[in-house]
Protein backbone atom coordinates (compact mmCIF):
# COMPACT_ATOMS: atom_id res chain seq x y z
CA UNK A 1 0.00 0.00 0.00
CA UNK A 2 2.80 2.42 0.93
CA UNK A 3 4.71 1.33 -2.18
CA UNK A 4 1.73 2.34 -4.35
CA UNK A 5 1.32 5.68 -2.56
CA UNK A 6 4.88 6.75 -3.22
CA UNK A 7 6.37 4.85 -6.15
CA UNK A 8 3.42 5.02 -8.57
CA UNK A 9 2.58 8.61 -7.70
CA UNK A 10 6.28 9.48 -7.75
CA UNK A 11 6.49 8.36 -11.39
CA UNK A 12 3.49 10.54 -12.30
CA UNK A 13 4.96 13.50 -10.39
CA UNK A 14 8.33 13.15 -12.10
CA UNK A 15 6.74 13.11 -15.55
CA UNK A 16 4.49 16.12 -14.93
CA UNK A 17 7.22 18.24 -13.30
CA UNK A 18 9.57 17.64 -16.24
CA UNK A 19 6.96 18.07 -18.99
CA UNK A 20 5.17 21.15 -17.63
CA UNK A 21 8.11 22.74 -15.74
CA UNK A 22 5.86 23.29 -12.71
CA UNK A 23 5.81 21.78 -9.19
CA UNK A 24 3.09 19.18 -9.87
CA UNK A 25 3.45 16.52 -7.18
CA UNK A 26 0.87 13.75 -6.85
CA UNK A 27 0.27 11.64 -3.76
CA UNK A 28 -2.87 10.15 -2.17
CA UNK A 29 -6.10 11.65 -0.85
CA UNK A 30 -5.97 11.91 2.94
CA UNK A 31 -9.73 12.53 3.48
CA UNK A 32 -10.38 9.69 1.05
CA UNK A 33 -8.22 7.44 3.23
CA UNK A 34 -10.38 8.36 6.22
CA UNK A 35 -13.51 7.43 4.23
CA UNK A 36 -11.98 4.11 3.26
CA UNK A 37 -10.96 3.36 6.84
CA UNK A 38 -14.56 3.74 7.95
CA UNK A 39 -15.88 1.72 4.99
CA UNK A 40 -13.55 -1.21 5.73
CA UNK A 41 -15.46 -1.80 8.96
CA UNK A 42 -18.33 -3.26 6.89
CA UNK A 43 -16.94 -3.72 3.34
CA UNK A 44 -14.41 -6.26 2.14
CA UNK A 45 -11.06 -4.92 0.88
CA UNK A 46 -11.65 -6.22 -2.69
CA UNK A 47 -14.95 -4.31 -2.76
CA UNK A 48 -13.16 -1.10 -1.75
CA UNK A 49 -10.55 -1.71 -4.45
CA UNK A 50 -13.37 -2.08 -6.99
CA UNK A 51 -14.55 1.38 -5.95
CA UNK A 52 -11.00 2.67 -6.54
CA UNK A 53 -11.17 1.47 -10.14
CA UNK A 54 -14.52 3.14 -10.83
CA UNK A 55 -13.39 6.37 -9.14
CA UNK A 56 -10.28 6.43 -11.35
CA UNK A 57 -12.37 5.87 -14.49
CA UNK A 58 -14.70 8.73 -13.48
CA UNK A 59 -11.82 11.17 -12.96
CA UNK A 60 -10.20 10.11 -16.23
CA UNK A 61 -13.45 10.87 -18.06
CA UNK A 62 -13.76 14.29 -16.38
CA UNK A 63 -10.20 15.15 -17.40
CA UNK A 64 -10.42 13.98 -21.00
CA UNK A 65 -13.77 15.73 -21.64
CA UNK A 66 -12.44 19.05 -20.31
CA UNK A 67 -15.25 19.43 -17.78
CA UNK A 68 -12.88 19.81 -14.85
CA UNK A 69 -11.38 23.10 -16.04
CA UNK A 70 -14.88 24.51 -16.60
CA UNK A 71 -15.88 23.51 -13.08
CA UNK A 72 -12.75 25.06 -11.55
CA UNK A 73 -13.38 28.32 -13.43
CA UNK A 74 -16.71 28.65 -11.60
CA UNK A 75 -15.14 28.45 -8.12
CA UNK A 76 -14.27 31.88 -6.59
CA UNK A 77 -10.64 32.00 -5.51
CA UNK A 78 -11.36 33.44 -1.99
CA UNK A 79 -13.68 30.52 -1.26
CA UNK A 80 -11.14 27.95 -2.45
CA UNK A 81 -8.31 29.61 -0.52
CA UNK A 82 -10.49 29.69 2.63
CA UNK A 83 -10.87 25.94 2.26
CA UNK A 84 -7.09 25.69 1.83
CA UNK A 85 -6.59 27.78 4.97
CA UNK A 86 -8.98 25.51 6.85
CA UNK A 87 -6.92 22.47 5.91
CA UNK A 88 -3.59 24.14 6.70
CA UNK A 89 -4.88 25.54 10.00
CA UNK A 90 -4.67 22.07 11.56
CA UNK A 91 -0.96 21.96 10.76
CA UNK A 92 -0.51 25.29 12.55
CA UNK A 93 -2.44 24.06 15.57
CA UNK A 94 -0.42 20.85 15.63
CA UNK A 95 2.74 22.97 15.81
CA UNK A 96 1.45 24.59 19.02
CA UNK A 97 0.39 21.22 20.42
CA UNK A 98 3.85 19.84 19.59
CA UNK A 99 5.48 22.64 21.59
CA UNK A 100 3.10 21.89 24.45
CA UNK A 101 3.45 18.10 24.43
CA UNK A 102 6.98 17.68 23.04
CA UNK A 103 8.66 20.86 24.27
CA UNK A 104 12.19 19.46 24.31
CA UNK A 105 12.03 18.73 20.57
CA UNK A 106 9.56 21.24 19.11
CA UNK A 107 10.62 24.35 21.05
CA UNK A 108 14.28 24.39 19.86
CA UNK A 109 13.13 23.72 16.30
CA UNK A 110 10.72 26.66 16.44
CA UNK A 111 13.30 28.94 18.07
CA UNK A 112 15.87 28.24 15.36
CA UNK A 113 13.23 28.72 12.65
CA UNK A 114 12.27 32.14 14.08
CA UNK A 115 15.91 33.18 14.50
CA UNK A 116 16.81 32.32 10.91
CA UNK A 117 13.64 34.03 9.66
CA UNK A 118 14.35 37.21 11.63
CA UNK A 119 18.07 37.50 10.83
CA UNK A 120 18.11 37.57 7.03
CA UNK A 121 21.87 37.04 6.51
CA UNK A 122 21.63 33.85 8.57
CA UNK A 123 18.47 32.82 6.74
CA UNK A 124 20.19 33.18 3.36
CA UNK A 125 23.05 30.97 4.51
CA UNK A 126 20.74 28.36 6.09
CA UNK A 127 17.04 28.31 5.13
CA UNK A 128 14.86 28.47 8.28
CA UNK A 129 13.07 25.17 7.61
CA UNK A 130 16.36 23.32 7.03
CA UNK A 131 17.67 24.84 10.25
CA UNK A 132 14.62 23.57 12.12
CA UNK A 133 15.05 20.12 10.55
CA UNK A 134 18.72 19.89 11.54
CA UNK A 135 17.97 21.14 15.05
CA UNK A 136 15.25 18.55 15.51
CA UNK A 137 17.54 15.74 14.34
CA UNK A 138 20.28 16.84 16.75
CA UNK A 139 17.86 17.04 19.70
CA UNK A 140 16.39 13.62 18.90
CA UNK A 141 19.88 12.11 18.64
CA UNK A 142 20.98 13.61 21.96
CA UNK A 143 17.78 12.66 23.77
CA UNK A 144 17.73 9.07 22.51
CA UNK A 145 14.09 9.42 21.45
CA UNK A 146 14.69 7.62 18.15
CA UNK A 147 14.17 3.88 18.47
CA UNK A 148 13.99 1.59 15.43
CA UNK A 149 12.82 -1.92 16.26
CA UNK A 150 12.31 -5.02 14.11
CA UNK A 151 15.73 -4.67 12.46
CA UNK A 152 15.22 -8.02 10.71
CA UNK A 153 12.14 -6.81 8.81
CA UNK A 154 12.22 -6.63 4.95
CA UNK A 155 14.11 -3.82 3.21
CA UNK A 156 12.73 -3.78 -0.35
CA UNK A 157 8.98 -3.48 -0.94
CA UNK A 158 7.23 -6.51 -2.43
CA UNK A 159 3.86 -5.20 -3.72
CA UNK A 160 0.79 -7.40 -3.39
CA UNK A 161 -1.56 -7.49 -6.37
CA UNK A 162 -5.29 -7.56 -5.54
CA UNK A 163 -8.27 -8.66 -7.58
CA UNK A 164 -11.15 -6.16 -7.34
CA UNK A 165 -14.74 -7.00 -6.52
CA UNK A 166 -17.38 -4.66 -7.93
CA UNK A 167 -20.15 -4.20 -5.38
CA UNK A 168 -23.08 -1.80 -5.69
CA UNK A 169 -22.88 -1.10 -1.95
CA UNK A 170 -19.23 -0.05 -2.25
CA UNK A 171 -19.92 1.98 -5.41
CA UNK A 172 -22.75 3.96 -3.81
CA UNK A 173 -20.82 4.57 -0.61
CA UNK A 174 -17.34 5.36 -1.96
CA UNK A 175 -17.10 6.35 -5.64
CA UNK A 176 -18.64 9.83 -5.53
CA UNK A 177 -17.19 10.75 -2.09
CA UNK A 178 -13.73 9.59 -3.18
CA UNK A 179 -13.95 11.62 -6.39
CA UNK A 180 -15.07 14.68 -4.42
CA UNK A 181 -12.21 14.37 -1.92
CA UNK A 182 -9.73 14.22 -4.81
CA UNK A 183 -11.21 16.88 -7.09
CA UNK A 184 -12.75 19.35 -4.63
CA UNK A 185 -10.76 18.85 -1.44
CA UNK A 186 -7.28 17.95 -2.73
CA UNK A 187 -6.82 19.03 -6.36
CA UNK A 188 -8.63 22.33 -5.82
CA UNK A 189 -6.13 23.18 -3.07
CA UNK A 190 -3.21 22.32 -5.32
CA UNK A 191 -4.57 24.37 -8.21
CA UNK A 192 -5.25 27.35 -5.95
CA UNK A 193 -1.82 27.50 -4.30
CA UNK A 194 -0.05 27.04 -7.63
CA UNK A 195 -2.07 29.78 -9.32
CA UNK A 196 -1.37 32.12 -6.41
CA UNK A 197 2.34 31.52 -7.04
CA UNK A 198 2.03 32.42 -10.71
CA UNK A 199 1.79 28.92 -12.18
CA UNK A 200 -0.87 27.70 -14.61
CA UNK A 201 -1.45 24.04 -13.78
CA UNK A 202 -2.94 21.88 -16.58
CA UNK A 203 -6.22 21.18 -14.80
CA UNK A 204 -7.68 18.69 -17.26
CA UNK A 205 -4.46 16.71 -17.69
CA UNK A 206 -3.91 16.63 -13.92
CA UNK A 207 -7.46 15.31 -13.46
CA UNK A 208 -6.89 12.64 -16.12
CA UNK A 209 -3.58 11.68 -14.50
CA UNK A 210 -5.33 11.29 -11.15
CA UNK A 211 -7.72 8.89 -12.87
CA UNK A 212 -4.95 6.82 -14.46
CA UNK A 213 -2.89 6.87 -11.27
CA UNK A 214 -5.88 5.75 -9.21
CA UNK A 215 -6.49 2.77 -11.50
CA UNK A 216 -2.84 1.67 -11.44
CA UNK A 217 -2.49 2.25 -7.69
CA UNK A 218 -5.67 0.24 -7.08
CA UNK A 219 -3.85 -2.85 -8.36
CA UNK A 220 -1.74 -2.83 -5.18
CA UNK A 221 -4.61 -1.69 -2.94
CA UNK A 222 -3.67 2.00 -2.73
CA UNK A 223 -6.24 4.74 -2.24
CA UNK A 224 -6.95 7.24 -5.06
CA UNK A 225 -4.28 9.56 -6.48
CA UNK A 226 -4.54 13.35 -6.12
CA UNK A 227 -2.57 16.55 -6.71
CA UNK A 228 -1.48 17.30 -3.17
CA UNK A 229 -2.15 20.78 -1.78
CA UNK A 230 0.34 21.08 1.12
CA UNK A 231 3.33 19.62 -0.74
CA UNK A 232 2.91 21.81 -3.80
CA UNK A 233 2.28 24.81 -1.56
CA UNK A 234 5.63 24.25 0.13
CA UNK A 235 7.41 23.80 -3.21
CA UNK A 236 5.94 27.04 -4.60
CA UNK A 237 6.48 29.10 -1.45
CA UNK A 238 10.04 30.28 -2.05
CA UNK A 239 12.76 30.86 -4.62
CA UNK A 240 12.43 31.68 -8.31
CA UNK A 241 9.18 30.55 -9.90
CA UNK A 242 11.06 29.08 -12.86
CA UNK A 243 12.94 26.72 -10.51
CA UNK A 244 10.00 25.46 -8.47
CA UNK A 245 9.69 22.43 -10.71
CA UNK A 246 13.22 21.33 -9.76
CA UNK A 247 12.04 20.94 -6.16
CA UNK A 248 9.11 18.91 -7.50
CA UNK A 249 11.52 16.63 -9.35
CA UNK A 250 13.53 16.11 -6.15
CA UNK A 251 10.37 15.23 -4.22
CA UNK A 252 9.38 12.78 -6.95
CA UNK A 253 12.79 11.07 -6.83
CA UNK A 254 12.60 10.83 -3.05
CA UNK A 255 9.09 9.37 -3.38
CA UNK A 256 10.44 6.68 -5.71
CA UNK A 257 13.08 5.77 -3.12
CA UNK A 258 10.50 5.85 -0.34
CA UNK A 259 8.29 3.48 -2.33
CA UNK A 260 11.06 1.03 -3.16
CA UNK A 261 12.27 0.94 0.44
CA UNK A 262 8.81 1.29 1.99
CA UNK A 263 9.43 -1.24 4.84
CA UNK A 264 12.55 0.63 5.98
CA UNK A 265 11.07 4.11 5.75
CA UNK A 266 7.85 3.04 7.44
CA UNK A 267 9.80 1.77 10.45
CA UNK A 268 11.89 4.94 10.33
CA UNK A 269 8.83 7.22 10.41
CA UNK A 270 7.14 5.19 13.18
CA UNK A 271 10.32 5.55 15.27
CA UNK A 272 10.42 9.35 14.81
CA UNK A 273 8.79 11.36 17.64
CA UNK A 274 5.41 12.81 16.67
CA UNK A 275 6.46 16.24 17.98
CA UNK A 276 9.27 16.41 15.41
CA UNK A 277 6.96 15.64 12.46
CA UNK A 278 4.22 17.99 13.68
CA UNK A 279 6.64 20.85 14.31
CA UNK A 280 8.32 20.46 10.93
CA UNK A 281 5.02 20.36 9.03
CA UNK A 282 3.61 23.30 10.98
CA UNK A 283 6.67 25.48 10.39
CA UNK A 284 6.69 24.58 6.68
CA UNK A 285 3.06 25.64 6.19
CA UNK A 286 2.93 28.64 8.53
CA UNK A 287 3.68 31.29 5.90
CA UNK A 288 1.42 29.58 3.37
CA UNK A 289 -1.43 29.57 5.88
CA UNK A 290 -1.03 33.31 6.30
CA UNK A 291 -1.10 33.88 2.54
CA UNK A 292 -4.25 31.78 2.20
CA UNK A 293 -6.00 33.78 4.91
CA UNK A 294 -5.06 37.08 3.24
CA UNK A 295 -6.44 35.99 -0.14
CA UNK A 296 -9.60 34.67 1.50
CA UNK A 297 -10.59 37.77 3.43
CA UNK A 298 -9.23 40.72 1.47
CA UNK A 299 -12.11 40.90 -1.03
CA UNK A 300 -15.89 41.11 -1.11
CA UNK A 301 -16.48 37.41 -0.42
CA UNK A 302 -15.27 37.45 3.18
CA UNK A 303 -18.54 36.05 4.55
CA UNK A 304 -18.49 33.10 2.18
CA UNK A 305 -14.80 32.61 2.95
CA UNK A 306 -15.62 32.52 6.66
CA UNK A 307 -18.23 29.81 6.09
CA UNK A 308 -15.81 27.78 3.93
CA UNK A 309 -13.08 28.12 6.57
CA UNK A 310 -15.33 27.07 9.45
CA UNK A 311 -16.83 24.12 7.58
CA UNK A 312 -13.39 22.86 6.51
CA UNK A 313 -11.98 23.14 10.03
CA UNK A 314 -15.05 21.36 11.41
Amino acid sequence: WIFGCFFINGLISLAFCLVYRQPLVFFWTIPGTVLVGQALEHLAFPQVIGAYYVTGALMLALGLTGWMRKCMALLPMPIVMAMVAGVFLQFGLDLIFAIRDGFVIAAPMTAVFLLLSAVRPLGRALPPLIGALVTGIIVIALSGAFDVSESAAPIIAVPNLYRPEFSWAAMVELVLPLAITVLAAQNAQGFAVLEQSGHKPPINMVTAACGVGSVIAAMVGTVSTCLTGPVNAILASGGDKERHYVAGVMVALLALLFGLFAPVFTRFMLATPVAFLAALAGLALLRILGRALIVSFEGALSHGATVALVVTVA
Side-chain angles (χ1 to χ4, degrees):
W1 190 91
I2 298 294
F3 169 84
C5 285
F6 286 93
F7 190 83
I8 294 172
N9 293 326
L11 288 176
I12 299 173
S13 302
L14 183 62
F16 268 72
C17 289
L18 290 174
V19 171
Y20 291 99
R21 291 295 195 268
Q22 297 181 43
L24 297 168
V25 173
F26 296 74
F27 279 128
W28 68 94
T29 166
I30 294 176
T33 306
V34 175
L35 291 173
V36 169
Q38 296 170 343
L40 283 172
E41 295 179 0
H42 54 272
L43 293 174
F45 194 35
Q47 294 176 325
V48 171
I49 293 174
Y52 292 163
Y53 277 96
V54 178
T55 302
L58 174 61
M59 292 190 292
L60 177 60
L62 288 173
L64 294 180
T65 57
W67 289 350
M68 200 58 221
R69 175 173 287 278
K70 296 177 182 178
C71 293
M72 287 300 301
L74 298 175
L75 294 176
M77 183 59 66
I79 303 299
V80 176
M81 290 304 289
M83 182 179 67
V84 171
V87 173
F88 291 175
L89 180 62
Q90 189 58 54
F91 291 93
L93 295 175
D94 287 344
L95 167 62
I96 306 304
F97 298 150
I99 296 174
R100 180 194 66 189
D101 301 330
F103 185 84
V104 174
I105 296 174
M109 293 173 64
T110 305
V112 170
F113 180 88
L114 294 175
L115 175 65
L116 294 174
S117 299
V119 183
R120 294 190 178 276
L122 291 178
R124 282 193 292 269
L126 181 64
L129 192 61
I130 302 301
L133 171 66
V134 172
T135 301
I137 292 174
I138 293 173
V139 173
I140 291 173
L142 294 176
S143 64
F146 187 79
D147 180 25
V148 178
S149 58
E150 301 182 19
S151 57
I155 296 176
I156 302 293
V158 181
N160 297 319
L161 296 178
Y162 295 93
R163 180 177 296 177
E165 178 182 333
F166 297 97
S167 160
W168 280 112
M171 300 301 158
V172 171
E173 180 175 350
L174 289 177
V175 170
L176 193 57
L178 274 175
I180 290 174
T181 63
V182 171
L183 302 177
Q186 299 280 273
N187 287 14
Q189 294 176 32
F191 295 146
V193 296
L194 288 173
E195 289 175 358
Q196 283 296 308
S197 300
H199 297 287
K200 294 182 179 179
I203 294 175
N204 289 329
M205 288 304 298
V206 165
T207 305
C210 288
V212 173
S214 297
V215 170
I216 298 174
M219 296 179 183
V220 293
T222 303
V223 73
S224 303
T225 296
C226 72
L227 182 74
T228 172
V231 173
N232 289 299
I234 293 172
L235 297 180
S237 64
D240 298 333
K241 186 187 74 171
E242 291 73 18
R243 295 186 177 183
H244 288 167
Y245 84 95
V246 179
V249 169
M250 292 302 298
V251 170
L253 293 175
L254 289 172
L256 294 178
L257 286 175
F258 199 114
L260 286 175
F261 297 97
V264 174
F265 282 110
T266 301
R267 295 199 303 275
F268 181 88
M269 297 301 290
L270 290 174
T272 303
V274 174
F276 170 78
L277 300 175
L280 196 63
L283 293 170
L285 292 169
L286 205 56
R287 186 172 298 171
I288 304 162
L289 170 61
R291 185 191 306 166
L293 290 169
I294 291 173
V295 174
S296 301
F297 297 107
E298 66 180 356
L301 298 177
S302 59
H303 181 67
T306 301
V307 174
L309 175 68
V310 172
V311 170
T312 306
V313 172

